[in-house]
Amino acid sequence: MNLSRSKINALLALALFTFAFLAAEFRFDVNVGPLAGAERVVIAQGFILGASVLGFIGYAPLLGLAQRKGHSLAAVNAAAVPIVIVGLTQIQFPTAPLVLEILGCVAFLGLGLLGAAAHHAFATAFQDDPKLATGAGAAYAAGILMQFAVNLLNCGGIAELIVLGAATIAISALSVVPQKAAESSSPAINPFAESSHALAKQACWSIALVMILACLFSTLDNVVTLSNAHGTIAVQTWPRLFLAASGLAAGLIFDLAERRYMGLVMLGIAVLSTISILAVEAGADPNLGLVVFYLSSAFLSRSLPPPLHSWHRACMHPPLGRHGARRQQCMCIHYIGHLACPRDLGQRCLIMIGALMLLVAASVAFVAAGLFRLPQTEQEREREQLAEEALAAPTIEEQRQAFIANHALTPREVDVLIAVTQDERPLKQVAEELGISMRMVQRHLSSIYQKTDTQTRAGLTKAFPSA
């Protein structure tokens, strides 16, 4: 991977955003439990993720409004920093449940804005890079490892607030995209390109697929979150290493053979997630849900940048391509958070039935989005292009007619041309077959030489298309 300065900045911004977002979410969950009770953690988490949705959605129009008023991208990013730090202060030093939830939403609103900026910078820097998924996976893994180090040191309070504040400022600075690069990332519309209707249909089905998968994974997330709040499992140490490794593995796997197998891998992950939901809701060890959730969420998050960015470039719709994935995921988590939290046997049965229905819906969306069709490799595309060029090539007769028209040959000159280039028979025999004199054949041949810029019969035969 050829790493330019813009790519390094984009990778760092995405890694720091992953770290700040997950670290703040973890600290929020840990502090909500003692103040409001374990059952409240899942619902409160839904609220902050919903607030991050508003940040992701609001970034593009906010940026447009600011630029119309003469403000730069750097100013817009910097404006989100104090919003995040104010909310993070309450998350680190909570005073009351309601205040914690309100200011937590404020913090994640700002993180949503910065997350949109980081993804914008990453999409712009890696727009034509075949290692897009690998880069996203590496940034994701680096962010997870940062969070693991902070959790391992157990540096909560003022120390963690300083670290998260510094990360927030760095994200704002590193996510500034040069104006020329931003303009070049939005290609001009080609009226002869693939049908925009087909591309829009594929994009809609793909976004629907993201929403369905997010519902499956958020169910596992809520199981893990609730178990962590009750102290049944702990997510702050070794599971983070597993999540970092699976995120990097997902990026590497997805980039194999030009992302040829990404759709099939994601379907397998969806099936595995559904099985784990059924098992955990039936009474299996919650650690099973923990492992599968971390594996699934890493693969889900790494599967989104490549296709969505491609659809952004094809459909000319930057907000959809760059930020749509995280928005849809957060929306699903927010809306089904209270439903996915198991409270009694009846509700668990509904969750199990719902998981199966979501798997069926995901399979339909996979087919409709075209993810079951293996994309062509570069060699296959080259062979297909050569075959198309061979079919589109003009016939010998068409080439001959073009040669005659281009050199303005008369009908009698055409007769002489065909006769003398057909074989090496003498000109006397050509004259007899055409019913003209030898002198007339030579005059026509001299005119043909002059018009076709040739000097010999052999040169003329080589220039005139033949079977």
Side-chain angles (χ1 to χ4, degrees):
M1 186 186 297
N2 184 20
L3 292 179
S4 61
R5 183 178 182 84
S6 62
K7 288 183 178 180
I8 293 174
N9 288 346
L11 286 168
L12 288 173
L14 194 57
L16 288 170
F17 167 71
T18 302
F19 159 68
F21 192 96
L22 295 180
E25 181 185 6
F26 172 75
R27 186 59 57 189
F28 178 85
D29 291 347
V30 167
N31 288 338
V32 166
L35 290 176
E39 298 292 336
R40 182 68 182 177
V41 173
V42 172
I43 299 174
Q45 180 180 260
F47 288 138
I48 62 171
L49 292 179
S52 73
V53 171
L54 297 178
F56 273 86
I57 292 176
Y59 180 76
L62 179 63
L63 178 60
L65 177 63
Q67 290 178 336
R68 285 194 297 272
K69 293 184 176 295
H71 300 295
S72 65
L73 175 62
V76 175
N77 292 352
V81 174
I83 297 175
V84 176
I85 293 178
V86 167
L88 288 177
T89 303
Q90 177 62 208
I91 290 175
Q92 290 293 336
F93 305 101
T95 56
L98 182 59
V99 178
L100 174 58
E101 291 183 16
I102 292 174
L103 292 185
C105 289
V106 170
F108 277 83
L109 174 66
L111 284 171
L113 292 170
L114 289 178
H119 282 85
H120 178 191
F122 183 84
T124 302
F126 284 81
Q127 56 183 323
D128 297 317
D129 198 311
K131 297 298 183 182
L132 172 66
T134 301
Y140 182 80
I144 294 295
L145 291 176
M146 290 183 217
Q147 188 195 10
F148 171 78
V150 170
N151 290 343
L152 194 65
L153 295 173
N154 196 25
C155 55
I158 189 65
E160 188 172 42
L161 179 60
I162 292 173
V163 171
L164 290 177
T168 302
I169 295 171
I171 295 168
S172 172
L174 294 170
S175 299
V176 176
V177 179
Q179 184 65 26
K180 290 183 179 180
E183 292 173 353
S184 65
S185 69
S186 298
I189 297 177
N190 181 3
F192 302 103
E194 186 178 349
S195 168
S196 59
H197 174 74
L199 290 170
K201 180 180 178 181
Q202 183 187 34
C204 290
W205 273 109
S206 301
I207 292 299
L209 175 61
V210 171
M211 295 179 68
I212 294 168
L213 293 178
C215 289
L216 279 172
F217 299 148
S218 65
T219 303
L220 276 173
D221 185 20
N222 288 332
V223 170
V224 172
T225 300
L226 186 62
S227 298
N228 181 68
H230 281 300
T232 307
I233 58 177
V235 301
Q236 65 268 33
T237 52
W238 68 267
R240 297 291 161 179
L241 295 178
F242 182 78
L243 184 59
S246 62
L248 182 58
L252 294 171
I253 291 172
F254 287 150
D255 276 336
L256 289 176
E258 301 179 2
R259 307 182 191 111
R260 184 179 177 87
Y261 307 108
M262 186 168 67
L264 296 177
V265 171
M266 281 308 301
L267 180 63
I269 293 295
V271 172
L272 180 62
S273 300
T274 304
I275 293 173
S276 65
I277 290 172
L278 297 177
V280 172
E281 294 298 333
D285 188 348
N287 281 296
L288 171 64
L290 171 69
V291 172
V292 174
F293 167 68
Y294 277 176
L295 172 65
S296 302
S297 61
F299 273 79
L300 172 68
S301 59
R302 293 316 95 206
S303 71
L304 301 179
L308 286 176
H309 181 56
S310 299
W311 296 323
H312 142 63
R313 290 176 61 79
C315 300
M316 313 304 168
H317 198 315
L320 175 66
R322 291 172 180 158
H323 317 311
R326 183 67 183 177
R327 294 181 201 164
Q328 303 299 337
Q329 186 182 19
C330 290
M331 284 179 180
C332 288
I333 292 174
H334 176 68
Y335 286 125
I336 73 164
H338 64 286
L339 295 177
C341 179
R343 295 186 181 87
D344 53 51
L345 182 60
Q347 191 177 44
R348 287 185 175 185
C349 290
L350 290 176
I351 291 172
M352 295 168 73
I353 294 172
L356 291 173
M357 294 176 64
L358 285 171
L359 179 61
V360 173
S363 301
V364 172
F366 266 108
V367 174
L371 294 178
F372 278 151
R373 295 192 300 271
L374 294 181
Q376 291 179 313
T377 62
E378 184 176 354
Q379 293 77 11
E380 289 171 340
R381 286 196 298 270
E382 289 177 355
R383 286 197 296 268
E384 184 175 307
Q385 183 177 0
L386 290 175
E388 290 176 352
E389 290 175 354
L391 291 174
T395 63
I396 294 298
E397 184 59 32
E398 290 172 338
Q399 293 179 47
R400 287 188 168 197
Q401 292 299 326
F403 182 89
I404 292 168
N406 290 338
H407 297 94
L409 302 180
T410 66
R412 181 54 74 180
E413 288 174 344
V414 172
D415 293 337
V416 173
L417 171 66
I418 294 174
V420 300
T421 58
Q422 189 173 6
D423 51 39
E424 297 180 355
R425 62 185 184 273
L427 293 181
K428 183 178 180 180
Q429 183 178 346
V430 171
E432 292 175 355
E433 292 177 355
L434 295 178
I436 57 178
S437 67
M438 177 73 169
R439 183 179 179 83
M440 188 61 67
V441 170
Q442 290 175 335
R443 286 181 59 184
H444 284 312
L445 192 56
S446 296
S447 176
I448 294 171
Y449 286 155
Q450 184 178 4
K451 288 181 178 181
T452 60
D453 196 23
T454 56
Q455 298 178 350
T456 64
R457 186 173 175 180
L460 182 61
T461 301
K462 184 178 181 180
F464 187 58
S466 60

